[in-house]
Amino acid sequence: MAEPKIAPLARRLAEENGIDWRRLQGTGPDGTIVERDVLAFLAKLMAGEVDLPPMPETPPPLPPEEELRRAREALGKEGVDLADLIPEAPLQVEEVAEEELDLDLDLEEEEALLLAEEAPGSLEAWEEDLLAPKTPSKKPLLEDEEELLRALEEEPPPVPEKPQGEVQAFPPPPPPAPGVAPAPAPIPAPAALRVYRRRVELRGLEEALALFAQVHGVPKAPLPFLLRAAERALAELEIPLRALVGRVEGEGVRGLRPPASFLALFREAGGEEGEGLLCFAGEEEVHTGRPSLFLAPEGLLTASGLEAPLARKLLERVALYLEHPLLLLA
């Protein structure tokens, strides 16, 4: 009788729980035992409805004669004779009695043999050349080399010792020549600017922008929503800053106070300049050291110019309003 089919996951589950899956009834395609069949049997087993069937016992190992016979048959199918692999007779090792070994050596005779091997007359010509001491060849020195050797042999002049605690002062730089502008002073490096980022899900904001564009005919600009979200977050966190429209002009930036009307933010081209949190939205991030908030099109919200705890709290609160724009209308 052929074994029933069983899915790999169901078989692993059955073997880990000690269940003989060959006695289960499969409900899968073509009677395949699936995971739900094993789970159903486990449920009945825990409820006491059925007893756990014993696992099949492992067959006892075959006797050596049977294993040899099977090995001979398997090799015979491949054209190999087992007799060719096994030698007919074991190797014969000849044992020598201890009294037959002559281990009594004369140390004086051995020393004489060694000295005879090391006699000078036994060396060949090329070996004598290698062992002969070599004298360094001398060649005449050039005039420049003689002067260099004399300079090295002379003792250097003594260096005057500096009194203890005295600081050696470097001479001031020479004054610039007439008609030459002095060299500019080095500009100190700016302090490191810390930038904090947070990923924002913009699906809700994109739906709100599409609805505003359809109903009010305004362009799809996320900056108005970013400004209103920043205003709410600054007020709730009690941060003494005002949300401003950030604008890049040349190499600098300006902060413009936004209008009170929400729809006017979509068409506003200018405004009164002020100080506060600069809000930007676009492709390229803007960081000048001033408190700034930037929203990238891929949903990356960035804060800079703020302390770390304050920047993280501001990012969390603004991200909440951008992911749920309806909260800004409440």
Side-chain angles (χ1 to χ4, degrees):
M1 180 179 181
E3 292 185 352
K5 297 181 180 179
I6 183 171
L9 184 59
R11 180 170 185 171
R12 179 180 177 182
L13 182 62
E15 292 177 352
E16 289 180 353
N17 291 273
I19 298 175
D20 186 7
W21 51 269
R22 298 172 183 82
R23 302 185 180 183
L24 300 181
Q25 185 68 28
T27 60
D30 299 332
T32 303
I33 302 173
V34 293
E35 185 180 1
R36 62 173 176 268
D37 301 329
V38 181
L39 294 176
F41 183 81
L42 283 174
K44 294 180 179 180
L45 184 64
M46 295 177 65
E49 298 179 5
V50 294
D51 295 331
L52 183 65
M55 291 291 291
E57 297 181 356
T58 306
L62 297 175
E65 297 81 4
E66 184 67 19
E67 291 183 0
L68 184 60
R69 185 184 62 80
R70 292 191 178 187
R72 190 185 299 275
E73 292 177 356
L75 292 175
K77 293 180 180 179
E78 300 294 334
V80 180
D81 189 1
L82 188 60
D84 298 339
L85 302 179
I86 302 176
E88 298 180 357
L91 298 177
Q92 299 293 331
V93 179
E94 183 179 358
E95 297 183 359
V96 181
E98 295 182 359
E99 56 272 8
E100 296 181 7
L101 297 177
D102 186 9
L103 298 179
D104 188 9
L105 299 178
D106 190 353
L107 296 180
E108 294 181 358
E109 295 178 0
E110 184 179 0
E111 185 177 359
L113 291 175
L114 292 176
L115 292 176
E117 292 178 359
E118 297 178 0
S122 62
L123 294 178
E124 296 183 3
W126 64 272
E127 294 177 331
E128 293 178 356
D129 293 341
L130 291 177
L131 295 177
K134 294 185 179 181
T135 57
S137 59
K138 295 183 179 181
K139 62 179 180 178
L141 297 176
L142 301 177
E143 294 181 359
D144 296 341
E145 295 178 347
E146 292 179 354
E147 294 180 0
L148 179 60
L149 289 176
R150 284 196 299 267
L152 292 176
E153 291 175 357
E154 295 179 357
E155 295 183 359
V159 180
E161 297 183 358
K162 184 174 60 176
Q164 186 69 21
E166 180 182 350
V167 180
Q168 184 178 2
F170 293 95
V180 180
I187 301 175
L193 178 64
R194 294 189 176 274
V195 179
Y196 305 90
R197 292 182 173 86
R198 187 191 187 283
R199 183 70 61 179
V200 181
E201 177 59 49
L202 296 182
R203 185 180 304 173
L205 179 60
E206 292 173 355
E207 294 176 356
L209 290 175
L211 184 60
F212 267 70
Q214 179 182 357
V215 176
H216 301 287
V218 295
K220 295 181 179 180
L223 183 58
F225 285 89
L226 179 63
L227 279 167
R228 287 295 181 257
E231 290 177 354
R232 287 284 187 91
L234 291 173
E236 294 171 358
L237 297 175
E238 298 181 354
I239 300 176
L241 292 175
R242 181 174 183 177
L244 304 176
V245 178
R247 179 171 300 173
V248 180
E249 295 183 356
E251 297 182 356
V253 295
R254 294 180 60 191
L256 306 178
R257 297 178 181 176
S261 173
F262 186 70
L263 292 178
L265 292 174
F266 291 90
R267 302 186 179 92
E268 185 66 23
E272 184 180 356
E273 190 170 358
E275 295 293 331
L277 180 68
L278 304 181
C279 297
F280 301 90
E283 297 288 343
E284 186 176 358
E285 292 188 7
V286 181
H287 304 289
T288 62
R290 298 174 59 181
S292 304
L293 197 64
F294 183 88
L295 178 63
E298 64 271 13
L300 193 63
L301 188 63
T302 308
S304 62
L306 299 169
E307 297 294 333
L310 201 61
R312 294 190 181 97
K313 291 180 181 179
L314 182 64
L315 288 176
E316 290 293 333
R317 192 62 59 92
V318 173
L320 174 65
Y321 285 120
L322 293 179
E323 292 176 350
H324 307 280
L326 291 178
L327 297 177
L328 297 174
L329 306 178

